[in-house]
Amino acid sequence: MARAADAIAPASDRPADAPFAHGVASGDPLPDGVLLWTRVTPVPEAVPGSGLGPAVSVRWEVAEDADFRSVVAEGAVTATAATDHTVKVDVRGLRPARDHHYRFTLGGARSPVGRTRTAPAADASPDRLRLGVVSCSNYEAGHFSAYRHLAARGDLDAVLHLGDYLYEYGTGEYPTRPTRTHLPTHEILTLADYRQRHAHYRSDPDLRAVTAAHPLIAIWDDHEVANDWWTGGAENHTPGEEGDWHERLAAGKRAYFEWMPVRPSTEGTVFRRLRFGTLADLHLLDLRSFRDRQVTPGSGAVDSAERTITGRAQLDWLLSGISSSPARRQLIATSVMISPVAFGSVPAHLLGPIGQCLGVPSGGLAINTDQWDGYTADRQRLLSHLRAEGIRDAVFLTGDIHMHWANEVPVNAATYPLSPSVGTEFVVTSVTSDNLDDILGVPPQTVSLVAEAAIRAANRHVKWVDLDSHGYGVLEVRADGTRMDYYAVTDRTDPAAGSRHLRSYRAAAGTGRLERVANPVG
């Protein structure tokens, strides 16, 4: 099969594509359909965020061949300034488990051709599911070479983005030494700002290439709106200086749904479920819209049953979906790490009443309470449910912390490995966002080897961690197990950066245990 990426050139390279300068994308594949996306510029003044420009009719076509001799669906949709001239078409009636090609037309201009793929039929038993996995793509921190390498692969069913697709900061705020400059240059606060930032991210040729080559499945984390946001505010939002929080939140969410090929499950949320035959269910979580405010690390408040990261309704939805699933594998996309990572104390449950009186958190002193470590009651309810259901091979897929990790997920980390594991967690590093050596301004492995050893010594369920790399992962799911291949790009500041395989880990079906394997798939 010819790779779609082979036929895709950046839109900016071809003047005829000017109305479609932001490229094309597809997302959220179903057995009979997929969501198609583009953005049109009907007149020069209709720049993103301007609110200007006429309503125009945009035609779309879907074919089972790249030459469009076999068109299987077509139609027209109106693009208006009310949605920033973005176009979203939820196409149905397609055949399952097949590559499809799509394009848009405005007047005499045609968009680049995109390739997408439908999911297997609900009762089908596919041999495998293979996903590219990415997170944390900060435009100013470097080039999106990870996207380019994934776009060039012809073996992926989709690309999963686990959040921080874009960043809200002003130029030079994060990172302090930018490789390139985004637009607008100030911190984004308004609907026009968020729209312009989304548009500028799509000026990147590697981003356009990966969304044209594969369907995208995405959830958000915090930077799509503001750093460390929760229901009532954010670390990076100052009331009185940066406007009303809820207006900013609504603006960020609205622009996200306009510019991303994502189906909202309900108004303003991204939790939803995709099925890949009887092989796997993919549960996609929204861990920002319903969470309580973060607490200080070391606070016993992390164990409060009143605190939530998921919200009660979403957690109930997840648990019932797992219980009723006919699929062999339960894949759970969680934007922040669920595995406990703690240092410096004996867990409170081993100290008994003394520990409780001292306010020691039950899992020890967590270093990041923005993760599930800050909301341990929700985590315990989920892990206990998996154990009660007899599930030992749930797969958590995570981004956020700009490091590669391979973890087992114990019900009780303090007594691991004697306590059972209910699954594994594969954490992928950032596409570009700063990690440890970047923040410290030191060469890779200057301090990371010591830090990695300390993490593993204090957290025995962590089988591997890499603190220095930028890159991506490739997940493969089969009936007999799952595996993650971890990759690093050679230099995030080089637009032509190469890619190298770092490590691979596999979990055999029903074990909840990881083993290192030698070679990547594909």
Side-chain angles (χ1 to χ4, degrees):
M1 181 184 70
R3 292 195 294 257
D6 294 340
I8 298 167
S12 59
D13 290 349
R14 292 174 289 175
D17 291 340
F20 298 97
H22 300 96
V24 298
S26 67
D28 282 6
L30 303 174
D32 69 337
V34 69
L35 193 66
L36 303 182
W37 178 94
T38 192
R39 199 266 178 185
V40 297
T41 307
V43 292
E45 60 268 25
V47 296
S50 67
L52 301 176
V56 292
S57 179
V58 181
R59 292 201 58 80
W60 57 270
E61 300 171 276
V62 179
E64 291 189 348
D65 65 295
D67 296 325
F68 287 83
R69 289 188 296 266
S70 176
V71 174
V72 294
E74 58 185 325
V77 63
T78 301
T80 72
T83 56
D84 208 22
H85 286 100
T86 57
V87 173
K88 294 177 81 168
V89 183
D90 201 345
V91 181
R92 300 298 174 94
L94 306 179
R95 294 198 290 174
R98 280 174 170 77
D99 285 354
H100 293 80
H101 303 267
Y102 61 96
R103 65 189 180 190
F104 299 88
T105 305
L106 176 61
R110 278 184 176 161
S111 73
V113 173
R115 171 260 180 194
T116 191
R117 183 170 178 81
T118 49
D123 59 353
S125 299
D127 292 335
R128 57 109 172 142
L129 170 69
R130 197 172 290 168
L131 303 175
V133 188
V134 290
S135 73
C136 303
S137 38
N138 186 324
Y139 185 94
E140 290 205 331
H143 295 275
F144 294 159
S145 298
Y147 291 162
R148 173 167 47 82
H149 290 288
L150 288 172
R153 295 184 66 126
D155 61 339
L156 302 181
D157 295 288
V159 169
L160 175 63
H161 201 298
L162 292 165
D164 293 344
Y165 166 85
L166 55 70
Y167 282 71
E168 82 280 13
Y169 296 109
T171 291
E173 293 179 15
Y174 177 74
T176 56
R177 298 179 297 276
T179 296
R180 51 184 182 165
T181 302
H182 56 210
L183 293 175
T185 56
H186 59 264
E187 182 183 347
I188 52 177
L189 301 171
T190 68
L191 178 58
D193 290 342
Y194 283 100
R195 285 170 166 174
Q196 188 179 4
R197 185 67 59 85
H198 272 279
H200 196 250
Y201 268 60
R202 290 204 63 88
S203 72
D204 183 272
D206 295 330
L207 189 157
R208 294 200 307 275
V210 77
T211 62
H214 310 294
L216 182 70
I217 302 169
I219 57 175
W220 58 44
D221 191 27
D222 52 343
H223 291 289
E224 286 86 351
V225 180
N227 182 53
D228 284 359
W229 68 270
W230 56 288
T231 54
E235 180 277 332
N236 190 27
H237 182 82
T238 306
E241 295 181 15
E242 296 180 312
D244 178 80
W245 163 248
H246 293 288
E247 290 181 4
R248 183 181 184 182
L249 176 61
K253 286 186 172 184
R254 178 173 172 179
Y256 183 88
F257 285 121
E258 290 173 346
W259 280 84
M260 299 289 287
V262 167
R263 291 189 189 92
S265 58
T266 57
E267 186 64 30
T269 71
V270 293
F271 75 85
R272 60 205 190 281
R273 184 177 295 113
L274 297 174
R275 177 159 294 167
F276 297 89
T278 61
L279 180 60
D281 273 358
L282 175 58
H283 311 270
L284 299 148
L285 301 186
D286 180 345
L287 299 183
R288 292 292 163 184
S289 293
F290 312 103
R291 70 157 65 199
D292 290 308
R293 188 171 189 170
Q294 299 88 344
V295 298
T296 303
S299 168
V302 300
D303 295 329
S304 170
E306 302 303 314
R307 289 174 43 74
T308 182
I309 190 172
T310 60
R312 300 300 175 228
Q314 182 179 194
L315 187 54
D316 288 345
W317 165 87
L318 175 61
L319 301 185
S320 64
I322 291 170
S323 295
S324 62
S325 173
R328 293 188 183 95
R329 297 285 169 272
Q330 304 303 309
L331 312 178
I332 303 171
T334 167
S335 58
V336 295
M337 187 184 289
I338 193 166
S339 300
V341 181
F343 293 96
S345 83
V346 177
H349 70 272
L350 296 182
L351 295 174
I354 296 175
Q356 296 174 12
C357 291
L358 293 174
V360 177
S362 62
L365 295 179
I367 59 174
N368 187 345
T369 56
D370 189 54
Q371 299 177 168
W372 288 76
D373 274 340
Y375 306 85
T376 63
D378 277 357
R379 178 172 63 196
Q380 195 58 42
R381 185 181 172 200
L382 172 54
L383 301 187
S384 297
H385 181 82
L386 291 171
R387 185 180 185 187
E389 292 290 308
I391 297 172
R392 296 197 64 185
D393 52 8
V395 179
F396 294 91
L397 303 168
T398 308
D400 178 57
I401 55 174
H402 314 169
M403 310 168 194
H404 283 315
W405 298 64
N407 305 328
E408 294 174 5
V409 184
V411 175
N412 186 338
T415 57
Y416 172 90
L418 297 178
S419 67
S421 169
V422 294
T424 53
E425 181 173 31
F426 299 120
V427 183
V428 295
T429 190
S430 63
V431 171
T432 58
S433 301
D434 280 2
N435 52 30
L436 182 62
D437 58 287
D438 302 318
I439 293 169
L440 297 177
V442 297
Q445 299 191 342
T446 302
V447 295
S448 61
L449 293 180
V450 174
E452 290 164 9
I455 290 171
R456 292 190 59 199
N459 301 273
R460 290 170 292 175
H461 54 284
V462 175
K463 301 306 173 185
W464 176 66
V465 58
D466 176 276
L467 302 181
D468 289 334
S469 301
H470 302 283
Y472 58 96
V474 174
L475 175 78
E476 181 174 85
V477 183
R478 290 185 178 269
D480 62 353
T482 58
R483 62 179 287 161
M484 178 70 86
D485 300 330
Y486 295 92
Y487 292 87
V489 296
T490 54
D491 183 353
R492 65 172 176 163
T493 66
D494 179 4
S499 172
R500 61 188 178 93
H501 172 245
L502 292 177
R503 286 200 183 192
S504 296
Y505 283 87
R506 180 180 183 273
T511 66
R513 303 295 190 187
L514 288 171
E515 59 178 343
R516 185 177 177 182
V517 291
N519 299 314
V521 298

